[in-house]
Each structure stands twice: as C-alpha cells, then as structure tokens.
C-alpha cells in the first residue's frame, strides 16, 4: 500500500505565496519521480511540475515557469511545490503523484504515467 499525503493548501490573496508538501509512504514504495498536478472546477487535471528521483531534473508547465518551484529530498519521500506570485487563475485542487521509475533522472508530464496519487489540497487565490 502506497500513500501520498499533501498539505499546505489554503486561502490567499493574489501575489501571495504558498508551499505545498507531499509525503509518500508505503512498503511497496521504491524509487519514484514526483509530479504535481492541479484541477480547477469543470476542467481536467493539468501538469504543474515534476522532479526526478535524484532531484537533478525538473519539468514545469509554461504557466508555472518562473513562479513555481518543485523540490524534494534527494532520493527521499517528501516533496514540495513552492508557489509564488499566486494569481486567481491558480485556484484549483493540487495533487501530488508518484511514478515508479528505473531511471533516476526520469520525470513524466502526463498524468497517465503516474501510479499513485494523493487526495489533493485546495488552493484558493482571491483577487
């Protein structure tokens, strides 16, 4: 059983920052890349950013570049999504996900690549 638990969501004003955390656990959890996705009401789940198992490679959606940063403890089970200069359009439920990998520098951007998902945490940005 693998579990992912997000925390750190909340209600903020435009321009504020938030840091989301994701802690992965489970006896079947081996090496994994970590991804962050978000889903706004009435929309599909969208890739935000991701980081490889060894922490050396990151990928970002265009809307996240320059404002959001993904990080993790190298080869560790805890990851973070630092979000700065938040905008009302960033309002969504944010999910972390884990993809079992064999290549330490791999990170996927497609949701179907991920094997395990957290329950999500709400981020609301007010104008």
């Amino acid at each position: 059983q693998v579990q992912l638990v997000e925390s750190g969501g909340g209600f903020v004003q435009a321009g504020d920052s938030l840091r989301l955390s994701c802690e992965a656990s489970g006896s079947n959890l081996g090496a994994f890349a970590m991804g962050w996705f978000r889903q706004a009401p009435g929309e599909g789940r969208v890739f935000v950013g991701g980081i490889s198992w060894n922490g050396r490679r990151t990928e970002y959606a265009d809307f996240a570049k320059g404002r959001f940063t993904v990080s993790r403890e190298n080869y560790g089970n805890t990851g973070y999504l630092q979000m700065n200069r938040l905008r009302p359009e960033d309002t969504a439920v944010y999910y972390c996900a884990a993809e079992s990998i064999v290549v330490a520098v791999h990170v996927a951007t497609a949701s179907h690549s991920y094997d395990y998902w957290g329950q999500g945490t709400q981020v609301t940005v007010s104008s």
Side-chain angles (χ1 to χ4, degrees):
Q1 188 82 8
V2 174
Q3 283 191 319
L4 299 174
V5 180
E6 303 98 335
S7 61
F11 184 98
V12 297
Q13 300 292 321
D16 286 350
S17 298
L18 274 177
R19 188 175 85 153
L20 307 184
S21 300
C22 177
E23 185 167 353
S25 62
S27 58
N28 294 331
L29 184 63
F32 64 95
M34 181 177 286
W36 290 91
F37 292 78
R38 71 185 189 185
Q39 187 166 16
E43 299 184 10
R45 196 164 293 188
V46 175
F47 176 75
V48 176
I51 188 165
S52 62
W53 171 237
N54 62 7
R56 294 179 183 176
R57 180 182 172 188
T58 56
E59 295 285 347
Y60 294 95
D62 286 344
F63 65 80
K65 292 176 182 177
R67 297 191 301 131
F68 295 1
T69 304
V70 293
S71 61
R72 70 184 298 172
E73 303 167 352
N74 290 353
Y75 307 105
N77 290 353
T78 302
Y80 307 94
L81 176 64
Q82 176 69 43
M83 303 186 292
N84 298 327
R85 302 195 304 279
L86 283 161
R87 305 165 179 165
E89 55 264 38
D90 294 317
T91 295
V93 177
Y94 284 72
Y95 299 89
C96 68
E99 179 195 11
S100 298
I101 56 90
V102 294
V103 177
V105 296
H106 171 78
V107 57
T109 61
S111 60
H112 62 76
S113 297
Y114 287 84
D115 305 294
Y116 308 104
W117 292 83
Q119 81 289 349
T121 186
Q122 177 70 46
V123 172
T124 303
V125 185
S126 171
S127 58

